[in-house]
Amino acid sequence: GAGVSQSPSNKVTEKGKDVELRCDPISGHTALYWYRQRLGQGLEFLIYFQGNSAPDKSGLPSDRFSAERTGESVSTLTIQRTQQEDSAVYLCASSWGLSSSYNEQFFGPGTRLTVL
Amino acid sequence: GDSVTQMEGPVTLSEEAFLTINCTYTATGYPSLFWYVQYPGEGLQLLLKATKADDKGSNKGFEATYRKETTSFHLEKGSVQVSDSAVYFCALSRDYKLSFGAGTTVTVRA
């Protein structure tokens, strides 16, 4: 079946503008994750959604960042008043729900955000 | 907090050479350990994993052993191919969160 998809693949914006990034998880996956990958660095966890539970927002770097998820499907990550340090690749992943063992996360291709 | 340190790249090898990428971690308890790979133009993919001490993960000729005593999870392949050119990430999981190393770029030349 289809994998995780993200849109847009590339986004160039001016400093101070708001951006929305979209993620479509694999059908049936109840867990959804957002990560950020800055140039030359590993992925940083941003936020996690699991079913109808309150999301874990502990990785969001500032209150300019927010994310929503509609049921167990699409998620949008919104960055308000973008800054140059927000330039990065934003990756979305999805997995089956929590169990006693690790659930493999399947990653999308990412959205490359460039803030001028 | 949890962290992962992996060998800096880039690494350039000839075909059929031996590849090793070092990875060490800092974590409380016994996290699960992973290697992810990102081929050019593609998304991150799970390469292999190990969920407890002394476990060996293996896939596509790659191997890594979970060494609790040295807090390491080094990736090895005995004979690389051009198609192994990619960025390799070591990671650990705490519940549902993954913590990644910075990635090692590997280029294999024919």
Side-chain angles (χ1 to χ4, degrees):
Chain A
V4 178
S5 60
Q6 293 185 245
S7 62
S9 55
N10 281 285
K11 176 71 176 179
V12 180
T13 190
E14 294 179 348
K15 178 181 173 181
K17 301 280 190 181
D18 297 351
V19 295
E20 276 192 2
L21 312 180
R22 176 188 170 106
C23 172
D24 282 274
I26 292 172
S27 179
H29 280 186
T30 58
L32 186 146
Y33 317 75
W34 282 98
Y35 294 87
R36 177 173 70 177
Q37 184 179 18
R38 289 173 163 167
L39 186 64
Q41 299 184 23
L43 281 71
E44 306 169 66
F45 168 80
L46 295 178
I47 189 169
Y48 161 75
F49 295 90
Q50 167 55 33
N52 295 318
S53 301
D56 177 350
K57 305 179 182 180
S58 60
L60 294 179
S62 78
D63 58 8
R64 295 186 295 104
F65 288 71
S66 63
E68 293 184 350
R69 187 179 186 192
T70 307
E72 293 184 349
S73 60
V74 172
S75 175
T76 55
L77 176 69
T78 301
I79 309 173
Q80 296 178 309
R81 306 182 302 282
T82 52
Q83 304 295 313
Q84 289 183 334
E85 63 262 27
D86 299 335
S87 296
V89 177
Y90 290 82
L91 290 162
C92 176
S94 70
S95 73
W96 299 108
L98 283 177
S99 71
S100 58
S101 61
Y102 173 75
N103 294 290
E104 180 178 349
Q105 295 181 25
F106 294 83
F107 284 81
T111 294
R112 181 176 299 277
L113 175 66
T114 303
V115 182
L116 302 177
Chain B
D2 297 340
S3 66
V4 176
T5 303
Q6 67 181 97
M7 188 173 83
E8 290 187 19
V11 174
T12 302
L13 303 164
S14 297
E15 257 191 327
E16 300 183 3
F18 182 85
L19 170 68
T20 183
I21 304 175
N22 290 339
C23 171
T24 57
Y25 67 91
T26 301
T28 55
Y30 303 103
S32 294
L33 302 175
F34 309 87
W35 278 99
Y36 276 81
V37 60
Q38 188 169 29
Y39 298 105
E42 298 184 18
L44 270 175
Q45 304 172 25
L46 179 64
L47 179 61
L48 55 83
K49 68 179 181 183
T51 57
K52 60 183 188 295
D54 299 324
D55 266 4
K56 178 186 284 187
S58 61
N59 186 25
K60 298 182 180 181
F62 289 88
E63 293 184 342
T65 301
Y66 190 147
R67 300 287 187 199
K68 183 169 68 72
E69 63 277 11
T70 55
T71 62
S72 65
F73 193 55
H74 305 321
L75 182 69
E76 296 181 337
K77 184 172 185 180
S79 177
V80 294
Q81 305 300 312
V82 172
S83 57
D84 293 324
S85 297
V87 183
Y88 293 83
F89 294 89
C90 186
L92 66 81
S93 76
R94 173 77 59 197
D95 299 323
Y96 46 81
K97 294 181 186 178
L98 284 170
S99 298
F100 287 83
T104 302
T105 300
V106 174
T107 301
V108 180
R109 294 182 172 167

